[in-house]
């Protein structure tokens, strides 16, 4: 697994520090630390005249990565990996839903790092695509929008994919969304059933389903791009065709509908036995949902599905969607001719409790 933390020698700080690591720089900026020596796993950087020492495998490429050092912590967070398209900022760990499959179960406390995240984004490589997730980022809507507004002026080349539960958009946001630039953000919003009982039971919030149409209409009016996200579970498997009909009728303006497999971490792991639906042995309702949505011109994608779990006629819909830092393959993948284009598995996937119908293709 790709390391997202790097051991750092004690550095005198009272506030989090965002630093871009440079192997060489003729005119380093105020956040640049320039490499001045390497010995084994130890790398020494010059940061504004101070020595900053990191410990990482000698072959690990760190040039132009952006890290954050937090006072009192022995490792720095690798916020941006310069050569990756899978960088995500955790905006907050607070959330007002308790979704059965949540991979990042919410916490009560919010640690406000908007200023640091804005600095990190400002140091990103050109045309970087950055994910923002939580928790629920829009619980801190004003600060989130202020950050995006500021970056739209300083770094108009950046693009964002923002995961939100879609509970907090208001009509007053339309102008702000347009000022930020609707073409620069894809909003990922979950919908698990075509009725309030089914959706609310999965997100564990009464009224969540009924709040979504308002948010969708606000995003639609502002011209924003929406990726609807549905995790397939035992709880909603039977409802997928009905949901596809609802999506095609009520939400024909979607950028895409992402039908997703379950990630076995967080609440997803806790609820695995009662929630995981083995679509490698029964793909029927997923296929029906795809057919219905496609007939209504809704573009469908399958996320987190190993390619061999998908019938051949639908494999073109299944990109390698699992982020590079949490992706693995199983031993039986060694003989598979589709290894290069298959998304494989989450690092924490346990095959003993997983898909039963897989094999090289
Ligand atoms: S055998 Fe492995 S690499 Fe091949 S399609 Fe299945 S999961 Fe992917």
């Amino acid at each position: 697994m790709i390391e997202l933390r790097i051991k750092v020698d004690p550095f005198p700080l009272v506030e989090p520090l965002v630093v871009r690591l440079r192997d060489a720089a003729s005119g380093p900026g105020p956040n640049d630390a320039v490499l001045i020596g390497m010995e084994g796993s130890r790398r020494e950087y010059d940061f504004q005249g101070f020595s900053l020492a990191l410990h990482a495998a000698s072959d690990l490429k760190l040039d132009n990565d952006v890290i954050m050092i937090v006072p009192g912590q022995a490792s720095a967070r690798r916020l941006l990996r310069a050569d990756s398209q899978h960088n995500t900022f955790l905006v907050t760990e607070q959330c007002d839903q308790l979704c059965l499959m949540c991979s990042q179960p919410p916490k009560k406390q919010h640690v406000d790092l908007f200023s640091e995240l804005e600095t990190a984004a400002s140091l990103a490589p050109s045309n970087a695509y950055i994910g923002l997730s939580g928790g629920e980022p829009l619980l801190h809507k004003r600060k989130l929008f202020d950050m995006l507004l500021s970056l739209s002026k300083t770094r108009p080349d950046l693009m964002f994919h923002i995961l939100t539960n879609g509970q907090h958009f208001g009509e007053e946001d339309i102008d702000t969304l347009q000022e930020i630039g609707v073409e620069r953000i894809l909003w990922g919003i979950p919908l698990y059933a075509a009725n309030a009982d089914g959706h609310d039971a999965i997100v564990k919030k009464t009224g969540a389903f009924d709040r979504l149409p308002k948010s969708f209409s606000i995003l639609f009016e502002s011209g924003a791009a929406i990726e609807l996200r549905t995790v397939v579970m035992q709880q909603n498997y039977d409802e997928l065709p009905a949901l596809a009909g609802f999506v095609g009728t009520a939400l024909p303006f979607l950028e895409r509908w992402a039908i997703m497999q379950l990630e076995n971490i967080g609440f997803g792991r806790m609820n695995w036995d009662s929630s995981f639906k083995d679509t490698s042995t029964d793909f029927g309702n997923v296929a029906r949902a795809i057919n219905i949505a496609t007939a209504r011109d809704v573009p469908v994608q399958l996320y987190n599905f190993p390619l061999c779990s998908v019938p051949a006629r639908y494999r073109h819909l299944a990109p390698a969607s699992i982020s590079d830092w949490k992706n693995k393959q199983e031993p039986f993948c060694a003989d598979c001719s589709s290894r290069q284009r298959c998304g494989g598995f989450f690092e924490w996937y346990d095959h003993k409790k997983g898909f039963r119908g897989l094999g090289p293709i």
Side-chain angles (χ1 to χ4, degrees):
M1 189 159 71
I2 294 169
E3 286 301 329
L4 295 186
R5 286 201 166 256
I6 301 174
K7 186 169 176 291
V8 57
D9 282 355
F11 198 70
L13 289 175
V14 288
E15 290 183 352
L17 176 69
V18 174
V19 172
R20 179 170 55 187
L21 305 174
R22 310 292 301 272
D23 285 355
S26 50
N31 290 88
D32 286 338
V34 183
L35 188 66
I36 52 176
M38 272 183 84
E39 199 177 322
S41 66
R42 186 176 187 275
R43 302 182 199 199
E44 185 173 1
Y45 291 83
D46 174 58
F47 178 69
Q48 297 182 4
F50 294 95
S51 167
L52 170 64
L54 307 181
H55 298 264
S58 55
D59 59 350
L60 182 64
K61 197 168 159 296
L62 291 175
D63 191 26
N64 283 315
D65 277 13
V66 179
I67 63 169
M68 179 167 66
I69 308 167
V70 176
Q73 292 190 0
S75 61
R77 288 185 218 174
R78 217 170 152 200
L79 289 178
L80 288 170
R81 289 171 294 127
D83 59 357
S84 173
Q85 286 297 308
H86 298 279
N87 293 300
T88 296
F89 295 168
L90 184 71
V91 169
T92 182
E93 293 187 88
Q94 291 176 321
C95 190
D96 55 334
Q97 295 189 161
L98 280 172
C99 305
L100 288 178
M101 82 308 290
C102 180
S103 60
Q104 186 81 40
K107 293 184 179 163
K108 286 205 165 56
Q109 301 304 321
H110 171 65
V111 179
D112 195 313
L113 292 169
F114 279 103
S115 168
E116 287 77 10
L117 297 179
E118 181 178 338
T119 301
S122 73
L123 299 168
S126 298
N127 303 311
Y129 191 59
I130 299 173
L132 302 180
S133 78
E136 172 47 45
L138 270 80
L139 286 180
H140 302 274
K141 186 165 70 172
R142 195 59 263 159
K143 288 192 170 185
L144 175 73
F145 284 177
D146 284 348
M147 179 177 83
L148 293 168
L149 278 168
S150 175
L151 287 167
S152 71
K153 294 180 178 66
T154 57
R155 290 297 307 268
D157 58 307
L158 298 180
M159 309 273 281
F160 296 94
H161 181 237
I162 305 179
L163 293 177
T164 170
N165 58 26
Q167 298 291 298
H168 303 282
F169 291 101
E171 272 152 30
E172 69 282 3
D173 297 328
I174 292 174
D175 290 346
T176 309
L177 290 167
Q178 291 176 334
E179 195 180 340
I180 290 168
V182 289
E183 69 289 349
R184 301 172 54 240
I185 299 177
L186 180 62
W187 296 94
I189 300 181
L191 180 65
Y192 299 114
N195 58 76
D197 286 350
H199 179 81
D200 291 2
I202 288 173
V203 305
K204 293 203 174 290
K205 183 183 173 190
T206 304
F209 179 87
D210 290 336
R211 180 60 177 79
L212 284 171
K214 180 177 174 189
S215 290
F216 286 131
S217 75
I218 287 162
L219 288 168
F220 176 64
E221 193 175 335
S222 68
I226 303 169
E227 176 191 68
L228 192 76
R229 296 163 74 91
T230 302
V231 177
V232 177
M233 293 179 291
Q234 293 175 36
Q235 288 83 350
N236 65 354
Y237 185 73
D238 292 344
E239 305 298 325
L240 289 177
L243 179 57
F246 177 81
V247 169
T249 306
L251 304 169
F253 45 81
L254 297 177
E255 187 75 12
R256 60 176 165 260
W257 182 23
I259 301 176
M260 305 169 65
Q261 253 297 355
L262 188 63
E263 180 174 357
N264 63 328
I265 198 162
F267 289 155
R269 176 182 295 166
M270 214 169 81
N271 296 319
W272 184 263
D273 292 343
S274 58
S275 296
F276 174 66
K277 174 66 188 175
D278 186 354
T279 48
S280 70
T281 56
D282 178 6
F283 196 80
N285 279 350
V286 179
R288 283 179 202 102
I290 295 171
N291 294 344
I292 292 167
T294 304
R296 298 185 181 186
D297 284 334
V298 176
V300 177
Q301 294 267 273
L302 299 171
Y303 289 175
N304 313 338
F305 285 73
L307 217 49
C308 55
S309 73
V310 178
R313 66 178 283 212
Y314 298 110
R315 281 182 195 150
H316 66 287
L317 301 175
S321 56
I322 299 177
S323 301
D324 55 1
W325 63 271
K326 55 179 178 180
N327 165 279
K328 72 170 181 182
Q329 292 186 329
E330 288 290 325
F332 58 81
C333 301
D335 299 325
C336 180
S337 62
S338 296
R339 285 182 67 176
Q340 298 306 319
R341 63 189 188 96
C342 174
F345 306 88
F346 290 102
E347 179 66 31
W348 26 85
Y349 167 77
D350 178 358
H351 193 50
K352 291 193 291 295
K353 301 174 99 184
F355 299 97
R356 300 267 56 89
L358 304 185
I361 52 177

